[in-house]
Amino acid sequence: MRKETIHPESTFLAVGFLLGLMIIVLSLQLGFRRNGELGPGFFPFWVGGLISTASSLLLIKSWRKNEDTEGKPLLSRNQWRRLSGGVLFFLGWVILIPYLGYALVTFLFALFYSKILGLEGWIWPLVLSIGIIIFIYLLFSVWFYVDLPKGLF
């Protein structure tokens, strides 16, 4: 008789699915439209739907095992390390923005993250990092009139 085990990937994906559903429910309480314009619940609704859909599809994929994938994890150890590092890196970005400001933290985040993801050399990561902060600054500060966190700079 074969013993069924719960894999960490399945647990992670099930939690992601439930998180997505929770985001959808909470976004519906905010409302899709207000005064004929998009409401505050519009974007979170679609993000929650995307999270739930992706999690459920990956969960189904992890359950459908054949001889080639039997016993193999959904992600390799290196892929899990890279994913976990990215999450921790992003968490650090969120924590540092109020203290150091959007521009500096985002520049450093984009620079180091592009190196972690394997972008070779230093010219293209620098160009990418500067381009990201200029684009986001123009998008939010100039076009949407939203102040970005200043911090030290």
Side-chain angles (χ1 to χ4, degrees):
M1 181 156 88
R2 191 174 139 189
K3 184 179 177 184
E4 294 292 326
T5 60
I6 298 175
H7 296 287
E9 296 91 8
S10 298
T11 304
F12 178 77
L13 294 170
V15 169
F17 176 75
L18 294 173
L19 176 67
L21 289 180
M22 186 174 69
I23 292 170
I24 290 171
V25 169
L26 293 173
S27 70
L28 289 173
Q29 293 174 355
L30 293 173
F32 261 44
R33 290 199 161 294
R34 288 200 179 154
N35 302 326
E37 295 182 4
L38 294 178
F42 181 80
F43 181 71
F45 175 82
W46 291 108
V47 169
L50 183 66
I51 291 171
S52 291
T53 302
S55 295
S56 62
L57 291 175
L58 289 171
L59 189 58
I60 291 168
K61 180 182 174 187
S62 73
W63 286 342
R64 289 186 177 177
K65 293 188 176 183
N66 57 30
E67 294 79 33
D68 296 336
T69 61
E70 187 65 38
K72 291 183 181 177
L74 186 61
L75 296 174
S76 70
R77 175 177 234 146
N78 190 32
Q79 290 170 324
W80 276 111
R81 190 177 302 130
R82 193 176 254 185
L83 177 65
S84 301
V87 169
L88 291 174
F89 207 62
F90 180 71
L91 184 62
W93 178 71
V94 170
I95 291 170
L96 289 175
I97 276 187
Y99 302 106
L100 300 178
Y102 162 80
L104 177 62
V105 174
T106 302
F107 172 78
L108 294 173
F109 174 81
L111 180 67
F112 290 120
Y113 203 65
S114 64
K115 295 303 287 179
I116 288 171
L117 292 177
L119 199 55
E120 294 181 13
W122 285 99
I123 298 296
W124 286 113
L126 284 169
V127 168
L128 177 69
S129 302
I130 292 169
I132 286 172
I133 61 172
I134 289 172
F135 174 75
I136 297 296
Y137 175 79
L138 289 173
L139 181 68
F140 286 101
S141 292
V142 176
W143 294 320
F144 292 152
Y145 301 110
V146 175
D147 289 332
L148 295 169
K150 300 277 187 235
L152 295 176
F153 303 100

